[in-house]
Amino acid sequence: MERRGPAAPQSLDFTVENVEQALHQLYYDPNIENKNLAQKWLMQAQVSPQAWHFSWLLLNLDKVPEIQYFGASALHIKISRYWNDIPADQYESLKSQLFSQITRFASGSKIVLTRLCVALASLALSMMPEAWPCAVADMVRMFQAEDCNVDGRARCLALLELLTVLPEEFQTSRLPQYRKGQVRSVLAQECGSVFPLLEQLLQQPDSPGFIKQKVLKCFSSWVQLEIPLMDCENLIQAAFTSLQDPELFDTAVEAIVNAISQPDAQRYVNTLLKLIPPVLSLQEQLRQAVQGGDMETSHGICRIAVALGENHSRALLDQVQHWQSFLALVNMIMFCTGIPGHYPVNETTSSLTLTFWYTLQDDILSFEPDKQAVYQQVYRPVYFQLVDVLLHKAQFPSDEEYGFWSSDEKEQFRIYRVDISDTLMYVYEMLGAELLSNLYDKLGRLLTNTEQPSSWQHTEALLYGFQSIAETIDVNYSDVVPGLIGLIPRISISNVQLADTVMFTIGALSEWLADHPVMINNVLPLVLQALGNPELSISSVSTLKKICRECKYDLPPYAANIVAVSQDVLMKQIHKTSQCMWLMQALGFLLSALQVEEILKNLHSLITPYIQQLEKLADETPNPSNKLAIIHILGLLSNLFTTLDISHHDDDHESTEVKKLPMPQGPNPVVVVLQQVFQLIQKVLSKWLNDAQVVESVCAIFEKSVKTLLDDFAPMVPQLCEMLGQMYSTIPQASALDLTRQLVHIFAHEPAHFPPIKALFLLVTSVTLTLFQQGPRDHPDIVDSFMQLLAQALKRKPDLFLCSTLDVQAVFQCGVLSLKFPEALTVKASCGFFTELLPRCGEVPPVGQVVHEHGKLLLQAVLEGVGGQASRSLMDHFAEILFTLSKHCFSYLSVWMKEAMQQEGFPSARVSPEQKDTFSQQILSRERVNKRRVKEMVKEFTLLCRGLHGTEYTADY
């Protein structure tokens, strides 16, 4: 077969010979196209009726394992997916054939044996309980029967393989939900045939290791069927014994953890209590493993302790008389949390324990007050110890050791520290303000102890603890923060990691600084000094941004210094692009609180170098390097104007001091600057109009300014509208439409600004309609933005659709065409346009006329989408259109629906005339006024149209 042309496999019959040839091509043909063709053909062969014939022949013992494996897989697919095709009178012969094949392969290829076991398991699940009442007991009996042809040990392994895959096949089976529950309870009862056998095999002194391993895997598989924990007791104890055997250790851990972790296990409290002593008895083995650097053993024992503690802390806490044994388990888990060594290089165990501490805390705090008080008395000291352990684990290794870590190890350590940070934040709920005092005392002792100088790692970890809590908890009323702010300047910063944490801690305290402005000067010099260090780029810039945002009304005395330092680092290009943008946002916040003259003066010194650079770039011939420079400068301006807001639109929670600030008179400083650079921007555009990224960057300056300034932007509207019109007429780009939409949203309802906005709207509409005539398929982004613009216009200023020069019919037809685009976002935007357009039928005559004349085309496009032309994720949006049509054009809809549904094979060949009629009646019934019901109708109908109704694909739909 490998010699045939690429098209050959498609036309071949599904015979044994052809299957073998295709498999040879799949495994050995070096040509990837031939391999893909062979794979596609083999997939068709597996599901063909002929598979019942060739599968058995492929299992002949003279075939190679790859061919036998394919035969066994084909049998499994036929049984699991096409069960209804098998006549009931053939069940028994199929069962005996599979038993026979499994017996033959008991001493043969392991992978083929497993597939045959999976096939028989699938058969059993489909037959039980009616057609095969005692399936599991029968399996055990069949394989325990003497067979002189097959070695007893091989038979035992084959039986264990079959019993192991049976629950696994159940978990992944496609049984209907009602059958799943039925079969699960039958299997749970049948464990009585399995567990005694497993116990016997584990306890037999002469059972070899590989048999015991298989037994433990089998047990592990069965416990996931929610077998009562007390029925598993003997096997769990046997698994604990197996932990002493290094060969069985991993499998025994898996079995114990799976058994303990079953959701149902918490009902069996007595059994859980019996499990605590064997878990505690593992402590010596755990200590030896830690001392010997045996990470696998310590990891496994930790998993067992955490599984018991995490899954059942509530049930075990409730057993008040056993509080000491549970506390011993908690202390064992604490040992695992604080396991020696640095994560993830010397140990990988401690991270497993973190969720346990959340769970235990939640359970303690969920008790009624009296009981909670008792537990708090016992567990508060434990949680204080936990904080010490976590901060120790969060410490960086020595600089020398850290230098040898790979980038992947450093990243894993960073994530681990974030997990510790989250845990500390959560623990604050249990320990409260005393936790901060505790951390402060330790940090104070550390920094003031001159006799015993501390390592920077210790200082950094304590600060990290503070930062973790202050980032998310309101520490404004804490009495230790003033002391901490006083201690920070005393820290000897000799290391990047420590400096980073100092910065992030200051940033986390920025809201506190806003309430205590007298302390700003304690830390601001540190932040400004750090700005000059490229290694502290992220932490220093983000901290300055937080301070400028939270404390801006207290920063005017420091403004000149902040601007000067920022300007210096920007000119020296110390920071990467994203940090430069954050820095500009920080300066925007800072300048917002100054007097207008001061703002203009600072803006002049800050922006002039960039304007000069931009003037120079505007004269140059376009090339990739000056393009990046232009986009960078435009980005800096955009980010500055994003946060520079002298009218304080963003101060929803203004303090009384803010409210007393006088509202500035005269033009907004941002508008002054924009008017000064407007011609320069036009000049840049004239050379870069073909480049979508530059156009986008230009539009972003104005879009962000409009969003921030709102009505204050008004003086710029006429010239911006003119520039946008020229831009879009020359080369249409989506970013220009998005900016037009923003202008429509804010200014279209104001009479003074309506004329330029109306002219711009009509111009971009006319240009876009021309684009549609030329073929819009290459511009889904423009179509998407255009639809959003139309929807915004209808929402804010429907009068725009009364203009005699607006071709409403052409706009409508463009919308219909857009519904058929393959891009989901474009279709969604088009649906949004129609849901705004249809309610205007009465108030805007041109809209009403077009809908009445061409609404049938819209309905047709919607039904095509529902019928399978559009993604299922869009059905709610199509349903919105149908809902709006029925609400505003009901009499027309009933006629259009009838005409559309009369077309044969429309909207899908898979739906019958009766199903189409039912859907039409539903859409036109009284239920049409309920939007949720209309969405349900559309979802149901689209599944019918796609042939998916009642299949597994609809489960999450």
Side-chain angles (χ1 to χ4, degrees), residues 843-949:
E843 64 186 90
V844 183
V847 170
Q849 186 181 343
V850 167
V851 170
H852 297 159
E853 289 174 6
H854 301 281
K856 186 181 169 186
L857 289 175
L858 170 61
L859 178 65
Q860 187 108 354
V862 169
L863 292 174
E864 280 174 17
V866 174
Q869 297 296 314
S871 163
R872 275 163 55 198
S873 64
L874 292 163
M875 290 308 110
D876 278 356
H877 301 288
F878 283 122
E880 293 262 5
I881 296 179
L882 285 173
F883 174 76
T884 316
L885 272 170
S886 70
K887 190 173 179 181
H888 297 280
C889 317
F890 180 70
S891 57
Y892 289 96
L893 178 62
S894 50
V895 176
W896 297 335
M897 184 70 92
K898 190 175 180 183
E899 290 173 3
M901 290 302 200
Q902 279 174 349
Q903 301 169 74
E904 196 174 331
F906 181 87
S908 163
R910 289 192 176 94
V911 283
S912 66
E914 292 76 25
Q915 288 169 324
K916 292 200 287 186
D917 194 44
T918 302
F919 176 65
S920 301
Q921 286 173 9
Q922 284 178 326
I923 292 294
L924 300 170
S925 70
R926 287 183 180 178
E927 285 192 288
R928 72 179 190 275
V929 298
N930 183 331
K931 191 186 286 188
R932 184 181 55 79
R933 271 296 294 132
V934 173
K935 288 181 178 180
E936 286 170 5
M937 294 169 198
V938 169
K939 282 184 179 178
E940 186 138 342
F941 188 60
T942 198
L943 292 173
L944 289 169
C945 290
R946 296 164 199 262
L948 295 175
H949 197 271

Side-chain angles (χ1 to χ4, degrees), residues 135-145 152-153 155-164 190-207 211-212 214-216 218-219 222 231 234-235 238:
V136 180
D138 285 355
M139 290 173 186
V140 174
R141 201 166 41 251
M142 285 281 291
F143 283 95
Q144 282 183 327
R153 199 165 276 177
R155 273 206 326 276
C156 178
L157 278 172
L159 172 60
L160 288 171
E161 182 66 26
L162 178 57
L163 293 176
T164 303
E190 293 244 32
C191 78
S193 304
V194 179
F195 284 12
L197 170 69
L198 300 184
E199 287 171 35
Q200 183 191 341
L201 288 169
L202 273 180
Q203 286 158 6
Q204 275 176 0
D206 60 339
S207 279
I211 292 274
K212 287 183 175 179
K214 201 76 196 126
V215 167
L216 289 167
C218 185
F219 172 52
W222 273 81
D231 295 346
N234 292 344
L235 278 168

Side-chain angles (χ1 to χ4, degrees), residues 773-791:
Q773 288 167 2
Q774 295 163 353
R777 272 301 303 116
D778 295 335
H779 307 284
D781 56 335
I782 290 177
V783 175
D784 181 352
S785 296
F786 181 55
M787 290 296 135
Q788 289 187 56
L789 169 61
L790 294 172

Side-chain angles (χ1 to χ4, degrees), residues 534-694:
E535 290 185 294
L536 303 178
S537 181
I538 292 174
S539 60
S540 62
V541 174
S542 66
T543 297
L544 181 64
K545 183 180 164 185
K546 282 182 180 176
I547 291 173
C548 288
R549 184 181 64 217
E550 301 300 335
C551 313
K552 60 184 170 189
Y553 300 111
D554 302 299
L555 291 180
Y558 315 103
N561 195 16
I562 295 172
V563 172
V565 172
S566 301
Q567 216 168 338
D568 184 51
V569 299
L570 284 166
M571 283 293 119
K572 288 178 179 170
Q573 298 181 334
I574 284 172
H575 301 291
K576 290 181 179 173
T577 301
S578 52
Q579 277 72 56
C580 291
M581 302 306 156
W582 292 357
L583 192 48
M584 278 302 203
Q585 287 179 21
L587 295 172
F589 285 126
L590 174 74
L591 297 181
S592 300
L594 304 182
Q595 296 299 317
V596 172
E597 316 82 67
E598 283 295 306
I599 296 174
L600 286 168
K601 193 170 84 180
N602 279 292
L603 276 176
H604 180 73
S605 68
L606 187 62
I607 289 175
T608 300
Y610 294 110
I611 300 305
Q612 289 168 350
Q613 202 181 337
L614 195 59
E615 283 171 342
K616 186 165 165 282
L617 290 164
D619 290 327
E620 292 177 10
T621 308
N623 66 61
S625 65
N626 59 25
K627 170 185 166 175
L628 287 176
I630 287 170
I631 289 174
H632 181 73
I633 292 169
L634 295 174
L636 292 174
L637 295 176
S638 289
N639 281 278
L640 177 63
F641 297 156
T642 299
T643 53
L644 209 174
D645 178 19
I646 59 170
S647 58
H648 318 303
H649 292 118
D650 63 339
D651 292 318
D652 298 328
H653 46 272
E654 296 167 346
S655 64
T656 44
E657 289 82 14
V658 172
K659 287 178 184 171
K660 288 175 190 168
L661 282 173
M663 283 304 288
Q665 300 299 310
N668 189 293
V670 173
V671 173
V672 172
V673 172
L674 283 174
Q675 286 174 329
Q676 287 171 356
V677 299
F678 197 81
Q679 282 185 309
L680 175 57
I681 288 174
Q682 281 184 307
K683 187 177 177 182
V684 170
L685 262 181
S686 66
K687 285 201 175 178
W688 289 92
L689 209 45
N690 281 314
D691 193 293
Q693 286 175 296
V694 174

Side-chain angles (χ1 to χ4, degrees), residues 184 188 223-231 258-269 271-272 311-312 315:
R184 185 193 292 278
V223 293
Q224 294 181 60
L225 292 170
E226 296 175 17
I227 310 288
L229 191 65
M230 58 187 184
D231 295 346
N258 282 343
I260 293 173
S261 303
Q262 287 308 303
D264 200 41
Q266 59 194 358
R267 289 170 48 204
Y268 306 96
V269 178
T271 306
L272 290 172
N311 288 293
H312 307 296

Side-chain angles (χ1 to χ4, degrees), residues 763-780:
L763 177 62
V764 296
T765 301
S766 169
V767 171
T768 312
L769 292 178
T770 307
L771 191 72
F772 265 88
Q773 288 167 2
Q774 295 163 353
R777 272 301 303 116
D778 295 335
H779 307 284

Side-chain angles (χ1 to χ4, degrees), residues 32 76 96 101 355 461 490 512 653 681 707 779 795 810:
I32 193 71
H76 172 240
S96 65
Q101 290 290 350
T355 315
R490 299 184 61 165
W512 185 90
H653 46 272
I681 288 174
K707 280 181 180 173
H779 307 284
K795 198 183 289 182

